[in-house]
Amino acid sequence: MRTNGLKTILLAAGLAFAGPALAQDAVPTGAQPVQAQAAQPGGDAAAPAAATAERPADPTLTADGQPRLVAADGIGQPVDRAIGIQTQVTDLGDRAAWFHNAILLPVITLISLFVLGLLVWVVLRYRRAANPVPSKTSHNTMIEIVWTAAPVIILALIAIPSIRLLAAQYEPAPENAVTLKAIGNQWYWTYEFPDHGGFSVTQNMLREQSEVPPGQRFRTDADGPRLLAVDNRIVLPVGTPIRLITTANDVIHSWAMPAFWTKLDAIPGRLNETSFTIREPGLYFGQCSELCGVRHAYMPIAIEAVEPAVFAQWVAAKGGTMPGTQAAVAPAAIAAPDATQTPAAATDVPVVNATEQAQPTSQPVTDTSGSGN
């Protein structure tokens, strides 16, 4: 009897401890019918199916994933043994190139030739053979006025177009600008398109075939020059203002694109902004221009400028949306309800006679806002 009583107590205690576990296991079991019901035809499963629809193909790539646009020699990239500024494809770049070629370069050349002439004249005129008894003159008021006033006048004349160009580089972008957010990392770039669904693209440098294991993607001539080719090019539309916002996740980087005349520091915890408009389609390369670590030289930038229609296709291929697309779809969905469903207004709202609705009521007005509850 004692043994049977002990067994009964142990069995009751085991059931007591096992009860919560059985209750927890019963929750997922009860949820199965709900999931099966959601997957039935005509249910709410159509929305997830539409969300996971196949994206359109990337218009900048071929069927086998190779880039369609190939880098052109001398356009958007440095040229071996070349002298001068890269060919500019923005209006701001044209202004800067004119300022360099028409003002700065002539002024530098004239000053250098003038100083060189003075040195040659002093060497020849005041050498020991031509001037055995040196002059003891220690002060000349006119010379001191000239060599003080002349540089001031030159700098003042240069400052006028220089300040105008500097101000143009940081003019706020217009409302229709495409926002490109460039985030510097050690040692690659991440790009976001906040106005186009917020999708992001990571850009890494492509290595040479001898530097990667078999089966891994490597740089080809179609991708671009060595140390400048990337795995994912950033596509931007031509003729549309671009709002560039830069920041960084670790150290200071610098987003530099010589063909756009754009160089903007990317600083952790800070957003810097500039704008530019690409005038001509093409492929353009840049690099990080800040000493950001041991792999500073391996942070290239590749921008592919295309027509706005191609840019819209590229955005859709990346899972983004063009501004205004959602706003245009929502009213259409509201204006065209499902014909199989009966409008709530036709079934739930009672029909009231117009004459009865116009008659005044003698009942007191009651508060139905629920504030008295």
Side-chain angles (χ1 to χ4, degrees):
M1 296 296 294
R2 292 181 181 178
T3 304
N4 293 335
L6 182 60
K7 290 182 179 180
T8 303
I9 294 174
L10 294 176
L11 180 60
L15 292 176
F17 284 107
L22 295 175
Q24 293 176 2
D25 294 339
V27 174
T29 305
Q32 292 297 330
V34 178
Q35 296 177 358
Q37 184 179 0
Q40 294 177 358
D44 297 336
T52 58
E54 184 179 358
R55 296 179 182 176
D58 191 335
T60 64
L61 302 177
T62 60
D64 56 352
Q66 296 297 321
R68 295 181 182 273
L69 184 61
V70 180
D73 293 338
I75 302 298
Q77 58 180 305
V79 179
D80 188 23
R81 301 181 184 276
I83 298 176
I85 300 174
Q86 288 189 20
T87 302
Q88 298 298 305
V89 294
T90 63
D91 294 339
L92 181 62
D94 288 341
R95 291 179 55 182
W98 175 86
F99 178 61
H100 174 270
N101 297 331
I103 297 181
L104 293 183
L105 197 58
V107 169
I108 293 171
T109 303
L110 291 176
I111 293 177
S112 299
L113 293 177
F114 177 71
V115 173
L116 178 61
L118 286 178
L119 290 175
V120 173
W121 181 72
V122 169
V123 169
L124 297 178
R125 172 65 179 82
Y126 294 102
R127 70 186 191 276
R128 178 177 296 181
N131 187 33
V133 181
S135 173
K136 297 182 179 181
T137 303
S138 61
H139 180 75
N140 188 298
T141 304
M142 182 56 64
I143 292 179
E144 292 186 1
I145 292 176
V146 170
W147 73 34
T148 301
V152 172
I153 295 174
I154 294 174
L155 291 176
L157 295 177
I158 293 177
I160 297 175
S162 178
I163 293 176
R164 290 178 179 176
L165 178 62
L166 183 64
Q169 294 182 14
Y170 297 98
E171 289 182 355
E175 294 295 332
N176 63 333
V178 173
T179 302
L180 173 65
K181 184 177 181 181
I183 305 172
N185 308 275
Q186 288 181 319
W187 288 268
Y188 60 93
W189 292 97
T190 303
Y191 296 90
E192 296 179 356
F193 289 80
D195 297 339
H196 296 78
F199 70 94
S200 62
V201 178
T202 300
Q203 191 174 86
N204 291 279
M205 187 192 74
L206 286 176
R207 298 185 179 184
E208 300 301 304
Q209 185 176 5
S210 59
E211 300 175 349
V212 299
Q216 188 174 345
R217 184 183 177 187
F218 55 87
R219 185 195 69 86
T220 62
D221 293 337
D223 295 313
R226 177 178 175 270
L227 300 181
L228 292 179
V230 298
D231 54 356
N232 295 308
R233 297 174 182 174
I234 297 301
V235 178
L236 294 176
V238 298
T240 303
I242 307 298
R243 179 187 295 108
L244 175 66
I245 299 176
T246 60
T247 186
N249 287 329
D250 33 52
V251 298
I252 299 178
H253 301 272
S254 184
W255 198 92
M257 182 62 63
F260 301 166
W261 199 265
T262 300
K263 180 179 180 295
L264 194 64
D265 286 345
I267 303 175
R270 178 174 177 177
L271 296 178
N272 290 335
E273 180 179 335
T274 187
S275 62
F276 56 87
T277 302
I278 308 172
R279 188 175 54 244
E280 301 176 7
L283 182 58
Y284 308 100
F285 297 95
Q287 283 181 308
C288 175
S289 296
E290 187 68 48
L291 296 177
C292 57
V294 295
R295 294 190 61 82
H296 154 68
Y298 306 99
M299 286 186 62
I301 304 167
I303 300 295
E304 185 171 340
V306 299
E307 296 296 333
V310 180
F311 172 72
Q313 297 175 11
W314 180 80
V315 169
K318 295 299 182 181
T321 56
M322 296 299 293
T325 303
Q326 298 294 340
V329 173
I334 296 174
D338 190 358
T340 60
Q341 297 180 359
T342 304
T347 57
D348 298 338
V349 180
V351 179
V352 181
N353 192 308
T355 57
E356 296 178 359
Q357 188 176 7
Q359 294 178 358
T361 178
S362 59
Q363 297 180 357
V365 178
T366 58
D367 184 10
T368 60
S369 62
S371 59
N373 294 336

